[in-house]
C-alpha cells in the first residue's frame, strides 16, 4: 500500500464534522472513494471517505491523484489567455489563422472555441433537441472497455467533428463540445512549437509549484497514490465490472484528459481567481458569462445565496473532479470522486446532489 500523503489532516475531521459527514454520506449514496479539500476563513480542511479499491478496506486517500475530466478545459483556457497576454494568440482572431489544415469556418474565433459558441459538432457525440443522438468516438459500454487503451490523435478527432454538420452558425448559439478544446490545445501547440504539457509547465505548473498535475497525452498511467475507478457493462448477457483507473484518455483529448490532486486544484484555482495568473482584463474576459448557461471562457459562473461562485467540474469513466472558488480566490472547494460507472451514467443524480450540497455548505454557510 502506498503512503497516504493527506497533509496529516485526517484528525481535522473533528474540527469540521459536517464536512466529514457529507463525504461519508456520498459514499453511502454509491461512490467508492471521496477526497475533499476546503480552504476558507477557518483555514484548510482535507478529508476522505470510502475505500481506495472495491472489496478492500484501505481508506481512500485524501490527496491522491485522480482524473479531472472537463476541469481540464479551464487549464486549457487559462493557457490560451496567457498566450494572448504574450501577444501570441488573438482572442478574436479566426481559429483558421492558426490551424489552416482543417478548413475551419472562418467565422469561428479562438474566443468561440473557449466559450463553446463555435457551433462545431462534438466529436464525442451530440444529443439534439428532438432527441436524436448522433454518435462520435465510442465512449460507452463494451466497445469503450475493449478499446480503452486505443490512441486517438487530436487531428483525427477534429476531422471526425468536421465531417458532421455544424450545430449552428458560429456565434449564434451555445453547445458544449469537447472538440472546441481539442482545437484550442492545437492552437497552443501551433503558436508555441511546444507540446501542451510543456506549455502547461511553463505557464502554470512551474510558476505555482504544482507537482501533482499533468497532461498525460495518450499515456494510460496515473501516479501513485490514487483511488480506483470502475466501469460496469454487459458482455454476452453477463454483467461485468472492470477497473478503469488505467485508461488512455486521448478519446476525449483536451476536453478532459488531465490528472491532478485536490491540493493542486486549490493552488491553481485560488491563484487564478485571485488575479495571480492572468492580467485583470483577461480574467474579466474569462469570467464574463454568455447568456445561455453562464459559461465564460472555460469557466461557469453560478449565483448562490453566498454570492457568485466560479467553477468547472469534470467527470470521466469512474472519476470526477469538483473545483469551485469565490470571486477573489479566498474560499475554494476541490474534490476527487471515484465510483463504478456505467453506460446509463447512473451515478449522475448523486453527483449533481453532491455538487449542490457542497456549494450550500461551503459557499452559502449552511453547514460546516
Amino acid at each position: 500500500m502506498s503512503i497516504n500523503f493527506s497533509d496529516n489532516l485526517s484528525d481535522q475531521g473533528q474540527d469540521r464534522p459536517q464536512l466529514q459527514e457529507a463525504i461519508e454520506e456520498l459514499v453511502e449514496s454509491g461512490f467508492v472513494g471521496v477526497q475533499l479539500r476546503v480552504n476558507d476563513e477557518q483555514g484548510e480542511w482535507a478529508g476522505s471517505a470510502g475505500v481506495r479499491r472495491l472489496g478492500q478496506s484501505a481508506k481512500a486517500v485524501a490527496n491522491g491523484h485522480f482524473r479531472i475530466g472537463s476541469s481540464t478545459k479551464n487549464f486549457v483556457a487559462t493557457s490560451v489567455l496567457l498566450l494572448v497576454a504574450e501577444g501570441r494568440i488573438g482572442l478574436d482572431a479566426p481559429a483558421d489563422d492558426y490551424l489552416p489544415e482543417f478548413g475551419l469556418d472562418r467565422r469561428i474565433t479562438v474566443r468561440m472555441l473557449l466559450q463553446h459558441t463555435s457551433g462545431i459538432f462534438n466529436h464525442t457525440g451530440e444529443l439534439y433537441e428532438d432527441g436524436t443522438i448522433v454518435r462520435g468516438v465510442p465512449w460507452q459500454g463494451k466497445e469503450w472497455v475493449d478499446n480503452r487503451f486505443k490512441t486517438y490523435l487530436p487531428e483525427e478527432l477534429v476531422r471526425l467533428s468536421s465531417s458532421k454538420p455544424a450545430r449552428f452558425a458560429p456565434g449564434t448559439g451555445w453547445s458544449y463540445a469537447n472538440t472546441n478544446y481539442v482545437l484550442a490545445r492545437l492552437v497552443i501547440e501551433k503558436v508555441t512549437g511546444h507540446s501542451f504539457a510543456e506549455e502547461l509547465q511553463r505557464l502554470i505548473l512551474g510558476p505555482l509549484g504544482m507537482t501533482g498535475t499533468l497532461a498525460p497525452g495518450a499515456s494510460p498511467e496515473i501516479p501513485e497514490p490514487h483511488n480506483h475507478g470502475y466501469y460496469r457493462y454487459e458482455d454476452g448477457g453477463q454483467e461485468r465490472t472492470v477497473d478503469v483507473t488505467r485508461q488512455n484518455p486521448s478519446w476525449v483529448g483536451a476536453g478532459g484528459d488531465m490528472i491532478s490532486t485536490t491540493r493542486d486544484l486549490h493552488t491553481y484555482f485560488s491563484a487564478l481567481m485571485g488575479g495571480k495568473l492572468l492580467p485583470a482584463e483577461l480574467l474579466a474576459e474569462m469570467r464574463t458569462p454568455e447568456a445561455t448557461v453562464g459559461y465564460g471562457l472555460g469557466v461557469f459562473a453560478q449565483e448562490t445565496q453566498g454570492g457568485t461562485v466560479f467553477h468547472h467540474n469534470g467527470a470521466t469513466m469512474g472519476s470526477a473532479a469538483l473545483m469551485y472558488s469565490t470571486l477573489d480566490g479566498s474560499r475554494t472547494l476541490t474534490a476527487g470522486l471515484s465510483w463504478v460507472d456505467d453506460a446509463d451514467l447512473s451515478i449522475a443524480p448523486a453527483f449533481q446532489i453532491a455538487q449542490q450540497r457542497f456549494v450550500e455548505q461551503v459557499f452559502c454557510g449552511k453547514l460546516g
Side-chain angles (χ1 to χ4, degrees), residues 104-155:
L104 298 173
D105 188 320
R106 290 281 300 169
R107 294 173 294 175
I108 297 174
T109 64
V110 172
R111 182 192 299 273
M112 290 176 192
L113 297 180
L114 300 184
Q115 199 151 39
H116 294 299
T117 55
S118 70
I120 196 165
F121 179 90
N122 186 1
H123 74 265
T124 52
E126 291 280 13
L127 172 62
Y128 289 86
E129 289 75 9
D130 64 359
T132 301
I133 296 174
V134 180
R135 302 201 179 277
V137 296
W139 59 274
Q140 289 180 308
K142 184 177 186 298
E143 186 176 10
W144 177 77
V145 171
D146 289 347
N147 291 282
R148 68 186 183 278
F149 299 112
K150 177 178 177 178
T151 294
Y152 292 88
L153 297 176
E155 294 80 6

Side-chain angles (χ1 to χ4, degrees), residues 309-356:
V309 173
F310 293 94
H311 66 88
H312 207 311
N313 302 326
T316 188
M317 279 56 172
S319 178
L322 302 181
M323 184 172 71
Y324 287 90
S325 176
T326 50
L327 186 72
D328 62 357
S330 65
R331 181 181 299 195
T332 65
L333 180 156
T334 56
L337 304 96
S338 59
W339 67 76
V340 181
D341 220 329
D342 58 31
D344 294 329
L345 305 178
S346 57
I347 200 72
F351 184 48
Q352 291 168 353
I353 291 170
Q355 294 174 68
Q356 180 180 349

Side-chain angles (χ1 to χ4, degrees), residues 29-168:
S29 74
F31 290 87
V32 175
V34 179
Q35 46 190 318
L36 173 68
R37 183 176 302 268
V38 172
N39 290 74
D40 59 15
E41 62 277 3
Q42 296 185 49
E44 179 175 74
W45 183 91
S48 67
V51 295
R52 289 186 64 170
R53 293 175 182 262
L54 278 178
Q56 297 189 11
S57 59
K59 185 180 177 183
V61 295
N63 192 49
H65 297 85
F66 52 94
R67 300 185 186 279
I68 67 172
S70 285
S71 300
T72 299
K73 292 181 174 72
N74 187 259
F75 284 89
V76 175
T78 298
S79 299
V80 168
L81 291 173
L82 285 167
L83 290 169
V84 170
E86 291 181 358
R88 304 171 79 175
I89 293 176
L91 190 54
D92 292 303
D96 184 64
D97 283 357
Y98 306 103
L99 303 170
E101 62 270 30
F102 296 118
L104 298 173
D105 188 320
R106 290 281 300 169
R107 294 173 294 175
I108 297 174
T109 64
V110 172
R111 182 192 299 273
M112 290 176 192
L113 297 180
L114 300 184
Q115 199 151 39
H116 294 299
T117 55
S118 70
I120 196 165
F121 179 90
N122 186 1
H123 74 265
T124 52
E126 291 280 13
L127 172 62
Y128 289 86
E129 289 75 9
D130 64 359
T132 301
I133 296 174
V134 180
R135 302 201 179 277
V137 296
W139 59 274
Q140 289 180 308
K142 184 177 186 298
E143 186 176 10
W144 177 77
V145 171
D146 289 347
N147 291 282
R148 68 186 183 278
F149 299 112
K150 177 178 177 178
T151 294
Y152 292 88
L153 297 176
E155 294 80 6
E156 192 179 347
L157 304 178
V158 173
R159 295 195 191 285
L160 185 156
S161 178
S162 299
S163 71
K164 308 287 187 181
R167 289 205 66 152
F168 47 78

Side-chain angles (χ1 to χ4, degrees), residues 19-31 49 357:
L19 291 176
Q20 185 64 39
E21 178 185 332
I23 58 177
E24 297 285 356
E25 288 180 5
L26 260 186
V27 170
E28 291 173 11
S29 74
F31 290 87
R357 178 160 185 194

Side-chain angles (χ1 to χ4, degrees), residues 263-300:
R263 182 194 285 121
D264 265 14
L265 291 183
H266 155 69
T267 297
Y268 165 69
F269 214 44
S270 177
L272 176 63
M273 291 296 124
K276 296 173 183 174
L277 269 177
L278 290 173
E281 64 274 12
L282 288 176
L283 179 58
E285 294 270 16
M286 170 180 270
R287 297 200 293 206
T288 301
E290 52 72 51
T292 310
V293 297
Y295 198 87
L297 305 181
V299 71
F300 287 94

